[in-house]
């Protein structure tokens, strides 16, 4: 069974389009939807926005369904200058950009206390497989790199430059870092597929509303290709 996590209704709806034999279950504040995607049993969950929601949902998903691995699918703000709205960002690793205990000696910005890592790598075979599947979808551009998460909707060029200088990265959003941490702590394999809805700049809130549907569809298409062929 594959566990799939989306933060928002618009993101999950594009996956439900090709999900069959749907059975809905509510558990501990979260909606879980069991279904069949191209012959693979999946459980889809709607976690809500932000790192706490995403962490709670990921832990619940693992404890209740014990999926083989987890894929987080949704939209994100673009960081890399060459990344455009509608492009796909596949995470090689995730960072929580707002985790900051750097005023203590030896601690770096983004370093997660207790784990002592800044970046948590996604599972290589999953990320490689997503990349291979994505290449067959033309003309969408695919980017791989670090995805930065924090409990902030990024909508300022200054903040964007700060993030770029601090961590690099290809895209920013609000859940992947915590999903990564929970998976890491549970030794659960995971991957992240995001499509760009905005440029995290002054007009990112307007762009977000305008492109959430089309970008969610792009991300869902990559997921569908992955599920069709991940066993090959
Ligand atoms: N309109 C919503 C808020 C959306 S927050 C409301 O009013 O409730 C943005 C969501 O999309 C988050 O789930 C986040 O993961 C992702 N996202 C897209 N662009 C982003 C950006 N520029 N900064 C941070 N998160 C972004």
């Amino acid at each position: 069974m594959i566990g799939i996590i989306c933060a928002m209704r618009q993101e999950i709806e594009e996956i439900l389009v090709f999900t069959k034999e749907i059975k809905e279950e509510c558990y501990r504040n979260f909606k879980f939807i069991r279904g069949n995607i191209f012959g693979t049993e999946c459980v889809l969950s709607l976690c809500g926005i932000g790192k706490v929601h995403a962490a709670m949902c990921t832990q619940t998903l693992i404890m209740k369904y014990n999926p083989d691995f987890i894929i987080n699918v949704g939209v994100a703000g673009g960081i890399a200058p060459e990344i455009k709205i509608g492009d796909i960002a596949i995470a090689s690793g995730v960072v929580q950009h707002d985790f900051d205990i750097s005023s203590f000696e030896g601690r770096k910005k983004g370093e997660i206390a207790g784990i002592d890592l800044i970046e948590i790598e996604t599972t290589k075979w999953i990320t490689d497989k997503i990349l291979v599947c994505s290449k067959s979808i033309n003309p969408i551009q695919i980017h791989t790199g670090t995805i930065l998460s924090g409990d902030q909707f990024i909508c300022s060029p200054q903040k964007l430059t700060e993030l770029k200088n601090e961590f690099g990265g290809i895209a920013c959003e609000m859940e992947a870092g915590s999903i990564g941490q929970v998976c890491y702590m549970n030794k659960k394999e995971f991957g992240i597929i995001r499509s760009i809805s905005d440029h995290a700049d002054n007009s990112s809130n307007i762009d977000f509303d305008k492109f959430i549907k089309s970008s969610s569809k792009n991300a869902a298409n990559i997921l569908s290709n992955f599920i069709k062929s991940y066993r090959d």
Side-chain angles (χ1 to χ4, degrees), residues 7-8 10-11 48-50 74-78 97 148 150-155 172-176 194-201 204-205 208-209 212:
M8 297 181 66
Q10 292 95 324
E11 295 167 332
I49 294 163
V75 297
H97 65 75
L148 312 183
D151 283 326
Q152 293 166 358
F153 182 76
I154 308 296
C155 52
C172 59
E173 43 74 280
M174 302 175 67
E175 295 86 20
R194 295 274 175 165
S195 175
I196 303 303
S197 53
D198 57 84
H199 292 295
D201 57 9
S204 58
N205 52 342
F208 177 86
D209 285 342
I212 182 166

PDB file of all heavy atoms in Angstrom, residues 7-8 10-11 48-50 74-78 97 148 150-155 172-176 194-201 204-205 208-209 212, ligand 1:
ATOM      1  N   ALA A   7      -1.858  18.507   1.324  1.00  0.00           N
ATOM      2  CA  ALA A   7      -2.266  19.470   2.350  1.00  0.00           C
ATOM      3  C   ALA A   7      -3.678  19.991   2.090  1.00  0.00           C
ATOM      4  O   ALA A   7      -4.451  20.200   3.016  1.00  0.00           O
ATOM      5  CB  ALA A   7      -1.285  20.633   2.391  1.00  0.00           C
ATOM      6  N   MET A   8      -3.997  20.214   0.814  1.00  0.00           N
ATOM      7  CA  MET A   8      -5.239  20.934   0.503  1.00  0.00           C
ATOM      8  C   MET A   8      -6.180  20.123  -0.383  1.00  0.00           C
ATOM      9  O   MET A   8      -5.741  19.282  -1.162  1.00  0.00           O
ATOM     10  CB  MET A   8      -4.897  22.262  -0.198  1.00  0.00           C
ATOM     11  CG  MET A   8      -4.093  23.188   0.702  1.00  0.00           C
ATOM     12  SD  MET A   8      -3.723  24.759  -0.094  1.00  0.00           S
ATOM     13  CE  MET A   8      -5.353  25.469  -0.245  1.00  0.00           C
ATOM     14  N   GLN A  10      -7.815  21.011  -3.017  1.00  0.00           N
ATOM     15  CA  GLN A  10      -7.576  21.158  -4.468  1.00  0.00           C
ATOM     16  C   GLN A  10      -6.483  20.201  -4.951  1.00  0.00           C
ATOM     17  O   GLN A  10      -6.508  19.760  -6.093  1.00  0.00           O
ATOM     18  CB  GLN A  10      -7.130  22.597  -4.797  1.00  0.00           C
ATOM     19  CG  GLN A  10      -8.218  23.636  -4.594  1.00  0.00           C
ATOM     20  CD  GLN A  10      -8.123  24.294  -3.230  1.00  0.00           C
ATOM     21  OE1 GLN A  10      -7.771  23.639  -2.242  1.00  0.00           O
ATOM     22  NE2 GLN A  10      -8.456  25.558  -3.144  1.00  0.00           N
ATOM     23  N   GLU A  11      -5.518  19.914  -4.071  1.00  0.00           N
ATOM     24  CA  GLU A  11      -4.415  19.024  -4.456  1.00  0.00           C
ATOM     25  C   GLU A  11      -4.881  17.567  -4.525  1.00  0.00           C
ATOM     26  O   GLU A  11      -4.551  16.836  -5.454  1.00  0.00           O
ATOM     27  CB  GLU A  11      -3.259  19.160  -3.450  1.00  0.00           C
ATOM     28  CG  GLU A  11      -2.627  20.550  -3.465  1.00  0.00           C
ATOM     29  CD  GLU A  11      -1.715  20.820  -2.280  1.00  0.00           C
ATOM     30  OE1 GLU A  11      -1.913  20.247  -1.184  1.00  0.00           O
ATOM     31  OE2 GLU A  11      -0.793  21.638  -2.432  1.00  0.00           O
ATOM     32  N   GLY A  48      -4.029  19.074   5.793  1.00  0.00           N
ATOM     33  CA  GLY A  48      -4.159  20.471   6.216  1.00  0.00           C
ATOM     34  C   GLY A  48      -2.832  21.182   6.048  1.00  0.00           C
ATOM     35  O   GLY A  48      -1.799  20.555   5.773  1.00  0.00           O
ATOM     36  N   ILE A  49      -2.862  22.493   6.219  1.00  0.00           N
ATOM     37  CA  ILE A  49      -1.692  23.320   5.912  1.00  0.00           C
ATOM     38  C   ILE A  49      -0.730  23.425   7.099  1.00  0.00           C
ATOM     39  O   ILE A  49      -1.165  23.620   8.237  1.00  0.00           O
ATOM     40  CB  ILE A  49      -2.159  24.722   5.465  1.00  0.00           C
ATOM     41  CG1 ILE A  49      -2.908  24.603   4.126  1.00  0.00           C
ATOM     42  CG2 ILE A  49      -0.989  25.691   5.334  1.00  0.00           C
ATOM     43  CD1 ILE A  49      -3.745  25.806   3.780  1.00  0.00           C
ATOM     44  N   GLY A  50       0.556  23.320   6.816  1.00  0.00           N
ATOM     45  CA  GLY A  50       1.571  23.589   7.836  1.00  0.00           C
ATOM     46  C   GLY A  50       2.196  22.336   8.414  1.00  0.00           C
ATOM     47  O   GLY A  50       1.693  21.219   8.268  1.00  0.00           O
ATOM     48  N   GLY A  74       1.743  17.981  -4.081  1.00  0.00           N
ATOM     49  CA  GLY A  74       1.048  19.261  -3.956  1.00  0.00           C
ATOM     50  C   GLY A  74       1.735  20.371  -4.721  1.00  0.00           C
ATOM     51  O   GLY A  74       2.468  20.112  -5.668  1.00  0.00           O
ATOM     52  N   VAL A  75       1.477  21.604  -4.292  1.00  0.00           N
ATOM     53  CA  VAL A  75       2.049  22.766  -4.978  1.00  0.00           C
ATOM     54  C   VAL A  75       3.097  23.433  -4.087  1.00  0.00           C
ATOM     55  O   VAL A  75       3.183  23.151  -2.892  1.00  0.00           O
ATOM     56  CB  VAL A  75       0.944  23.786  -5.379  1.00  0.00           C
ATOM     57  CG1 VAL A  75      -0.025  23.156  -6.361  1.00  0.00           C
ATOM     58  CG2 VAL A  75       0.223  24.348  -4.165  1.00  0.00           C
ATOM     59  N   ALA A  76       3.887  24.335  -4.695  1.00  0.00           N
ATOM     60  CA  ALA A  76       4.942  25.027  -3.948  1.00  0.00           C
ATOM     61  C   ALA A  76       5.315  26.317  -4.659  1.00  0.00           C
ATOM     62  O   ALA A  76       5.017  26.502  -5.839  1.00  0.00           O
ATOM     63  CB  ALA A  76       6.181  24.119  -3.837  1.00  0.00           C
ATOM     64  N   GLY A  77       5.983  27.188  -3.930  1.00  0.00           N
ATOM     65  CA  GLY A  77       6.513  28.413  -4.524  1.00  0.00           C
ATOM     66  C   GLY A  77       7.888  28.118  -5.123  1.00  0.00           C
ATOM     67  O   GLY A  77       8.678  27.385  -4.533  1.00  0.00           O
ATOM     68  N   GLY A  78       8.170  28.695  -6.280  1.00  0.00           N
ATOM     69  CA  GLY A  78       9.466  28.453  -6.933  1.00  0.00           C
ATOM     70  C   GLY A  78      10.560  29.310  -6.319  1.00  0.00           C
ATOM     71  O   GLY A  78      10.351  30.479  -6.014  1.00  0.00           O
ATOM     72  N   HIS A  97      13.180  25.407   7.085  1.00  0.00           N
ATOM     73  CA  HIS A  97      13.953  26.659   7.084  1.00  0.00           C
ATOM     74  C   HIS A  97      13.686  27.514   8.320  1.00  0.00           C
ATOM     75  O   HIS A  97      14.470  28.396   8.650  1.00  0.00           O
ATOM     76  CB  HIS A  97      13.703  27.458   5.797  1.00  0.00           C
ATOM     77  CG  HIS A  97      12.299  27.967   5.615  1.00  0.00           C
ATOM     78  ND1 HIS A  97      11.806  29.029   6.319  1.00  0.00           N
ATOM     79  CD2 HIS A  97      11.304  27.556   4.799  1.00  0.00           C
ATOM     80  CE1 HIS A  97      10.547  29.247   5.937  1.00  0.00           C
ATOM     81  NE2 HIS A  97      10.218  28.366   5.015  1.00  0.00           N
ATOM     82  N   LEU A 148      12.320  23.545   0.645  1.00  0.00           N
ATOM     83  CA  LEU A 148      12.373  24.193   1.960  1.00  0.00           C
ATOM     84  C   LEU A 148      10.967  24.365   2.525  1.00  0.00           C
ATOM     85  O   LEU A 148      10.076  24.869   1.837  1.00  0.00           O
ATOM     86  CB  LEU A 148      13.013  25.581   1.837  1.00  0.00           C
ATOM     87  CG  LEU A 148      14.316  25.686   1.053  1.00  0.00           C
ATOM     88  CD1 LEU A 148      14.837  27.121   1.098  1.00  0.00           C
ATOM     89  CD2 LEU A 148      15.374  24.721   1.604  1.00  0.00           C
ATOM     90  N   GLY A 150       8.432  25.638   5.893  1.00  0.00           N
ATOM     91  CA  GLY A 150       8.315  26.456   7.098  1.00  0.00           C
ATOM     92  C   GLY A 150       6.864  26.838   7.266  1.00  0.00           C
ATOM     93  O   GLY A 150       6.084  26.756   6.317  1.00  0.00           O
ATOM     94  N   ASP A 151       6.499  27.269   8.465  1.00  0.00           N
ATOM     95  CA  ASP A 151       5.112  27.663   8.700  1.00  0.00           C
ATOM     96  C   ASP A 151       4.883  29.107   8.275  1.00  0.00           C
ATOM     97  O   ASP A 151       4.464  29.953   9.076  1.00  0.00           O
ATOM     98  CB  ASP A 151       4.743  27.440  10.175  1.00  0.00           C
ATOM     99  CG  ASP A 151       4.499  25.963  10.457  1.00  0.00           C
ATOM    100  OD1 ASP A 151       3.989  25.264   9.554  1.00  0.00           O
ATOM    101  OD2 ASP A 151       4.822  25.498  11.558  1.00  0.00           O
ATOM    102  N   GLN A 152       5.189  29.393   7.015  1.00  0.00           N
ATOM    103  CA  GLN A 152       5.024  30.736   6.439  1.00  0.00           C
ATOM    104  C   GLN A 152       4.721  30.596   4.963  1.00  0.00           C
ATOM    105  O   GLN A 152       5.406  29.817   4.279  1.00  0.00           O
ATOM    106  CB  GLN A 152       6.337  31.526   6.502  1.00  0.00           C
ATOM    107  CG  GLN A 152       6.821  31.882   7.866  1.00  0.00           C
ATOM    108  CD  GLN A 152       8.274  32.359   7.822  1.00  0.00           C
ATOM    109  OE1 GLN A 152       8.920  32.390   6.784  1.00  0.00           O
ATOM    110  NE2 GLN A 152       8.771  32.711   8.991  1.00  0.00           N
ATOM    111  N   PHE A 153       3.738  31.347   4.493  1.00  0.00           N
ATOM    112  CA  PHE A 153       3.536  31.452   3.047  1.00  0.00           C
ATOM    113  C   PHE A 153       4.515  32.513   2.563  1.00  0.00           C
ATOM    114  O   PHE A 153       4.443  33.673   2.981  1.00  0.00           O
ATOM    115  CB  PHE A 153       2.091  31.852   2.727  1.00  0.00           C
ATOM    116  CG  PHE A 153       1.822  31.926   1.249  1.00  0.00           C
ATOM    117  CD1 PHE A 153       1.664  30.772   0.496  1.00  0.00           C
ATOM    118  CD2 PHE A 153       1.747  33.149   0.605  1.00  0.00           C
ATOM    119  CE1 PHE A 153       1.435  30.828  -0.870  1.00  0.00           C
ATOM    120  CE2 PHE A 153       1.511  33.213  -0.768  1.00  0.00           C
ATOM    121  CZ  PHE A 153       1.358  32.051  -1.499  1.00  0.00           C
ATOM    122  N   ILE A 154       5.450  32.140   1.714  1.00  0.00           N
ATOM    123  CA  ILE A 154       6.505  33.078   1.296  1.00  0.00           C
ATOM    124  C   ILE A 154       5.980  33.961   0.166  1.00  0.00           C
ATOM    125  O   ILE A 154       5.575  33.466  -0.891  1.00  0.00           O
ATOM    126  CB  ILE A 154       7.788  32.320   0.856  1.00  0.00           C
ATOM    127  CG1 ILE A 154       8.237  31.311   1.928  1.00  0.00           C
ATOM    128  CG2 ILE A 154       8.903  33.310   0.518  1.00  0.00           C
ATOM    129  CD1 ILE A 154       8.661  31.889   3.256  1.00  0.00           C
ATOM    130  N   CYS A 155       5.995  35.266   0.424  1.00  0.00           N
ATOM    131  CA  CYS A 155       5.442  36.210  -0.562  1.00  0.00           C
ATOM    132  C   CYS A 155       6.256  37.502  -0.545  1.00  0.00           C
ATOM    133  O   CYS A 155       5.702  38.590  -0.612  1.00  0.00           O
ATOM    134  CB  CYS A 155       3.975  36.488  -0.281  1.00  0.00           C
ATOM    135  SG  CYS A 155       3.657  36.989   1.399  1.00  0.00           S
ATOM    136  N   CYS A 172       9.727  26.300  -2.188  1.00  0.00           N
ATOM    137  CA  CYS A 172       9.368  26.426  -0.771  1.00  0.00           C
ATOM    138  C   CYS A 172       7.896  26.069  -0.595  1.00  0.00           C
ATOM    139  O   CYS A 172       7.068  26.325  -1.474  1.00  0.00           O
ATOM    140  CB  CYS A 172       9.638  27.842  -0.277  1.00  0.00           C
ATOM    141  SG  CYS A 172       8.731  29.116  -1.168  1.00  0.00           S
ATOM    142  N   GLU A 173       7.593  25.486   0.530  1.00  0.00           N
ATOM    143  CA  GLU A 173       6.211  25.150   0.859  1.00  0.00           C
ATOM    144  C   GLU A 173       6.112  24.957   2.372  1.00  0.00           C
ATOM    145  O   GLU A 173       6.999  25.417   3.090  1.00  0.00           O
ATOM    146  CB  GLU A 173       5.708  23.969   0.021  1.00  0.00           C
ATOM    147  CG  GLU A 173       6.660  22.813  -0.139  1.00  0.00           C
ATOM    148  CD  GLU A 173       6.756  22.006   1.102  1.00  0.00           C
ATOM    149  OE1 GLU A 173       7.486  22.415   2.036  1.00  0.00           O
ATOM    150  OE2 GLU A 173       6.140  20.944   1.187  1.00  0.00           O
ATOM    151  N   MET A 174       5.068  24.283   2.848  1.00  0.00           N
ATOM    152  CA  MET A 174       4.808  24.329   4.282  1.00  0.00           C
ATOM    153  C   MET A 174       4.655  22.959   4.968  1.00  0.00           C
ATOM    154  O   MET A 174       4.260  22.912   6.133  1.00  0.00           O
ATOM    155  CB  MET A 174       3.560  25.193   4.540  1.00  0.00           C
ATOM    156  CG  MET A 174       3.720  26.604   3.997  1.00  0.00           C
ATOM    157  SD  MET A 174       2.250  27.647   4.135  1.00  0.00           S
ATOM    158  CE  MET A 174       2.107  27.841   5.893  1.00  0.00           C
ATOM    159  N   GLU A 175       4.928  21.864   4.258  1.00  0.00           N
ATOM    160  CA  GLU A 175       4.684  20.549   4.875  1.00  0.00           C
ATOM    161  C   GLU A 175       5.823  19.527   4.725  1.00  0.00           C
ATOM    162  O   GLU A 175       6.060  18.726   5.640  1.00  0.00           O
ATOM    163  CB  GLU A 175       3.400  19.904   4.296  1.00  0.00           C
ATOM    164  CG  GLU A 175       2.113  20.642   4.603  1.00  0.00           C
ATOM    165  CD  GLU A 175       1.822  21.756   3.593  1.00  0.00           C
ATOM    166  OE1 GLU A 175       2.396  21.691   2.482  1.00  0.00           O
ATOM    167  OE2 GLU A 175       1.059  22.681   3.913  1.00  0.00           O
ATOM    168  N   ALA A 176       6.496  19.540   3.570  1.00  0.00           N
ATOM    169  CA  ALA A 176       7.406  18.427   3.239  1.00  0.00           C
ATOM    170  C   ALA A 176       8.476  18.177   4.307  1.00  0.00           C
ATOM    171  O   ALA A 176       8.816  17.024   4.598  1.00  0.00           O
ATOM    172  CB  ALA A 176       8.060  18.681   1.884  1.00  0.00           C
ATOM    173  N   ARG A 194       6.152  18.114  -6.050  1.00  0.00           N
ATOM    174  CA  ARG A 194       5.456  19.412  -5.967  1.00  0.00           C
ATOM    175  C   ARG A 194       5.439  20.057  -7.340  1.00  0.00           C
ATOM    176  O   ARG A 194       6.390  19.921  -8.116  1.00  0.00           O
ATOM    177  CB  ARG A 194       6.179  20.336  -4.982  1.00  0.00           C
ATOM    178  CG  ARG A 194       6.150  19.852  -3.535  1.00  0.00           C
ATOM    179  CD  ARG A 194       4.900  20.320  -2.836  1.00  0.00           C
ATOM    180  NE  ARG A 194       4.772  19.783  -1.481  1.00  0.00           N
ATOM    181  CZ  ARG A 194       3.926  20.254  -0.574  1.00  0.00           C
ATOM    182  NH1 ARG A 194       3.151  21.277  -0.848  1.00  0.00           N
ATOM    183  NH2 ARG A 194       3.845  19.709   0.620  1.00  0.00           N
ATOM    184  N   SER A 195       4.361  20.791  -7.624  1.00  0.00           N
ATOM    185  CA  SER A 195       4.342  21.578  -8.856  1.00  0.00           C
ATOM    186  C   SER A 195       4.261  23.052  -8.459  1.00  0.00           C
ATOM    187  O   SER A 195       3.626  23.409  -7.463  1.00  0.00           O
ATOM    188  CB  SER A 195       3.144  21.176  -9.713  1.00  0.00           C
ATOM    189  OG  SER A 195       3.082  22.021 -10.833  1.00  0.00           O
ATOM    190  N   ILE A 196       4.908  23.890  -9.234  1.00  0.00           N
ATOM    191  CA  ILE A 196       5.044  25.304  -8.870  1.00  0.00           C
ATOM    192  C   ILE A 196       3.745  26.079  -9.151  1.00  0.00           C
ATOM    193  O   ILE A 196       3.247  26.076 -10.281  1.00  0.00           O
ATOM    194  CB  ILE A 196       6.233  25.940  -9.635  1.00  0.00           C
ATOM    195  CG1 ILE A 196       7.530  25.163  -9.333  1.00  0.00           C
ATOM    196  CG2 ILE A 196       6.386  27.425  -9.307  1.00  0.00           C
ATOM    197  CD1 ILE A 196       7.906  25.075  -7.854  1.00  0.00           C
ATOM    198  N   SER A 197       3.227  26.722  -8.085  1.00  0.00           N
ATOM    199  CA  SER A 197       1.991  27.504  -8.214  1.00  0.00           C
ATOM    200  C   SER A 197       2.266  29.005  -8.234  1.00  0.00           C
ATOM    201  O   SER A 197       1.401  29.805  -8.593  1.00  0.00           O
ATOM    202  CB  SER A 197       1.062  27.200  -7.031  1.00  0.00           C
ATOM    203  OG  SER A 197       1.750  27.395  -5.810  1.00  0.00           O
ATOM    204  N   ASP A 198       3.488  29.406  -7.824  1.00  0.00           N
ATOM    205  CA  ASP A 198       3.806  30.844  -7.693  1.00  0.00           C
ATOM    206  C   ASP A 198       5.316  31.003  -7.538  1.00  0.00           C
ATOM    207  O   ASP A 198       6.034  30.017  -7.395  1.00  0.00           O
ATOM    208  CB  ASP A 198       3.079  31.423  -6.460  1.00  0.00           C
ATOM    209  CG  ASP A 198       3.452  30.677  -5.188  1.00  0.00           C
ATOM    210  OD1 ASP A 198       4.498  30.997  -4.581  1.00  0.00           O
ATOM    211  OD2 ASP A 198       2.749  29.743  -4.810  1.00  0.00           O
ATOM    212  N   HIS A 199       5.756  32.262  -7.552  1.00  0.00           N
ATOM    213  CA  HIS A 199       7.202  32.523  -7.442  1.00  0.00           C
ATOM    214  C   HIS A 199       7.623  33.014  -6.060  1.00  0.00           C
ATOM    215  O   HIS A 199       8.699  33.580  -5.903  1.00  0.00           O
ATOM    216  CB  HIS A 199       7.634  33.539  -8.498  1.00  0.00           C
ATOM    217  CG  HIS A 199       7.544  33.002  -9.896  1.00  0.00           C
ATOM    218  ND1 HIS A 199       8.329  31.965 -10.329  1.00  0.00           N
ATOM    219  CD2 HIS A 199       6.741  33.332 -10.930  1.00  0.00           C
ATOM    220  CE1 HIS A 199       8.023  31.683 -11.576  1.00  0.00           C
ATOM    221  NE2 HIS A 199       7.063  32.492 -11.969  1.00  0.00           N
ATOM    222  N   ALA A 200       6.771  32.816  -5.069  1.00  0.00           N
ATOM    223  CA  ALA A 200       7.083  33.226  -3.691  1.00  0.00           C
ATOM    224  C   ALA A 200       7.445  34.710  -3.600  1.00  0.00           C
ATOM    225  O   ALA A 200       8.204  35.117  -2.720  1.00  0.00           O
ATOM    226  CB  ALA A 200       8.196  32.336  -3.113  1.00  0.00           C
ATOM    227  N   ASP A 201       6.918  35.511  -4.517  1.00  0.00           N
ATOM    228  CA  ASP A 201       7.236  36.947  -4.549  1.00  0.00           C
ATOM    229  C   ASP A 201       6.000  37.784  -4.167  1.00  0.00           C
ATOM    230  O   ASP A 201       5.034  37.247  -3.623  1.00  0.00           O
ATOM    231  CB  ASP A 201       7.747  37.328  -5.945  1.00  0.00           C
ATOM    232  CG  ASP A 201       6.731  36.970  -7.031  1.00  0.00           C
ATOM    233  OD1 ASP A 201       5.575  36.600  -6.686  1.00  0.00           O
ATOM    234  OD2 ASP A 201       7.083  37.046  -8.220  1.00  0.00           O
ATOM    235  N   SER A 204       2.658  36.326  -5.102  1.00  0.00           N
ATOM    236  CA  SER A 204       2.500  34.866  -4.958  1.00  0.00           C
ATOM    237  C   SER A 204       1.102  34.474  -4.481  1.00  0.00           C
ATOM    238  O   SER A 204       0.596  33.417  -4.863  1.00  0.00           O
ATOM    239  CB  SER A 204       3.574  34.269  -4.053  1.00  0.00           C
ATOM    240  OG  SER A 204       3.551  34.840  -2.787  1.00  0.00           O
ATOM    241  N   ASN A 205       0.452  35.336  -3.672  1.00  0.00           N
ATOM    242  CA  ASN A 205      -0.901  34.963  -3.221  1.00  0.00           C
ATOM    243  C   ASN A 205      -1.895  34.971  -4.387  1.00  0.00           C
ATOM    244  O   ASN A 205      -2.767  34.103  -4.483  1.00  0.00           O
ATOM    245  CB  ASN A 205      -1.371  35.858  -2.068  1.00  0.00           C
ATOM    246  CG  ASN A 205      -1.236  37.329  -2.378  1.00  0.00           C
ATOM    247  OD1 ASN A 205      -0.508  37.714  -3.300  1.00  0.00           O
ATOM    248  ND2 ASN A 205      -1.917  38.174  -1.641  1.00  0.00           N
ATOM    249  N   PHE A 208      -0.957  31.993  -6.675  1.00  0.00           N
ATOM    250  CA  PHE A 208      -1.352  30.743  -6.005  1.00  0.00           C
ATOM    251  C   PHE A 208      -2.804  30.405  -6.319  1.00  0.00           C
ATOM    252  O   PHE A 208      -3.124  29.294  -6.752  1.00  0.00           O
ATOM    253  CB  PHE A 208      -1.138  30.882  -4.495  1.00  0.00           C
ATOM    254  CG  PHE A 208      -1.574  29.680  -3.712  1.00  0.00           C
ATOM    255  CD1 PHE A 208      -0.714  28.610  -3.516  1.00  0.00           C
ATOM    256  CD2 PHE A 208      -2.859  29.597  -3.189  1.00  0.00           C
ATOM    257  CE1 PHE A 208      -1.118  27.490  -2.810  1.00  0.00           C
ATOM    258  CE2 PHE A 208      -3.275  28.477  -2.482  1.00  0.00           C
ATOM    259  CZ  PHE A 208      -2.400  27.426  -2.292  1.00  0.00           C
ATOM    260  N   ASP A 209      -3.698  31.395  -6.125  1.00  0.00           N
ATOM    261  CA  ASP A 209      -5.132  31.153  -6.375  1.00  0.00           C
ATOM    262  C   ASP A 209      -5.404  30.841  -7.842  1.00  0.00           C
ATOM    263  O   ASP A 209      -6.261  30.037  -8.164  1.00  0.00           O
ATOM    264  CB  ASP A 209      -5.965  32.373  -5.953  1.00  0.00           C
ATOM    265  CG  ASP A 209      -6.102  32.458  -4.438  1.00  0.00           C
ATOM    266  OD1 ASP A 209      -5.872  31.434  -3.763  1.00  0.00           O
ATOM    267  OD2 ASP A 209      -6.429  33.547  -3.925  1.00  0.00           O
ATOM    268  N   ILE A 212      -3.404  27.118  -8.597  1.00  0.00           N
ATOM    269  CA  ILE A 212      -3.414  25.925  -7.743  1.00  0.00           C
ATOM    270  C   ILE A 212      -4.015  24.719  -8.458  1.00  0.00           C
ATOM    271  O   ILE A 212      -3.513  23.602  -8.346  1.00  0.00           O
ATOM    272  CB  ILE A 212      -4.068  26.174  -6.359  1.00  0.00           C
ATOM    273  CG1 ILE A 212      -3.969  24.883  -5.546  1.00  0.00           C
ATOM    274  CG2 ILE A 212      -5.490  26.695  -6.453  1.00  0.00           C
ATOM    275  CD1 ILE A 212      -4.243  24.985  -4.101  1.00  0.00           C
TER     276      ILE A 212
HETATM  277  N1  LIG B   1      -5.167  29.893   0.660  1.00  0.00           N
HETATM  278  C1  LIG B   1      -4.949  29.049   1.816  1.00  0.00           C
HETATM  279  C2  LIG B   1      -3.498  29.107   2.274  1.00  0.00           C
HETATM  280  C3  LIG B   1      -2.569  28.434   1.319  1.00  0.00           C
HETATM  281  S1  LIG B   1      -1.000  28.274   2.044  1.00  0.00           S
HETATM  282  C4  LIG B   1      -5.853  29.505   2.958  1.00  0.00           C
HETATM  283  O1  LIG B   1      -6.264  30.650   2.982  1.00  0.00           O
HETATM  284  O2  LIG B   1      -6.152  28.691   3.823  1.00  0.00           O
HETATM  285  C5  LIG B   1      -0.074  27.621   0.705  1.00  0.00           C
HETATM  286  C6  LIG B   1      -0.073  26.104   0.509  1.00  0.00           C
HETATM  287  O3  LIG B   1       0.578  25.804  -0.703  1.00  0.00           O
HETATM  288  C7  LIG B   1       0.697  25.361   1.571  1.00  0.00           C
HETATM  289  O4  LIG B   1       0.113  24.087   1.775  1.00  0.00           O
HETATM  290  C8  LIG B   1       2.130  25.252   0.988  1.00  0.00           C
HETATM  291  O5  LIG B   1       2.687  23.979   1.162  1.00  0.00           O
HETATM  292  C9  LIG B   1       1.979  25.533  -0.506  1.00  0.00           C
HETATM  293  N2  LIG B   1       2.675  26.735  -1.041  1.00  0.00           N
HETATM  294  C10 LIG B   1       2.535  27.152  -2.327  1.00  0.00           C
HETATM  295  N3  LIG B   1       3.237  28.283  -2.546  1.00  0.00           N
HETATM  296  C11 LIG B   1       3.862  28.599  -1.375  1.00  0.00           C
HETATM  297  C12 LIG B   1       4.707  29.678  -0.966  1.00  0.00           C
HETATM  298  N4  LIG B   1       5.019  30.675  -1.798  1.00  0.00           N
HETATM  299  N5  LIG B   1       5.156  29.683   0.304  1.00  0.00           N
HETATM  300  C13 LIG B   1       4.828  28.686   1.167  1.00  0.00           C
HETATM  301  N6  LIG B   1       3.997  27.663   0.839  1.00  0.00           N
HETATM  302  C14 LIG B   1       3.514  27.600  -0.414  1.00  0.00           C
END
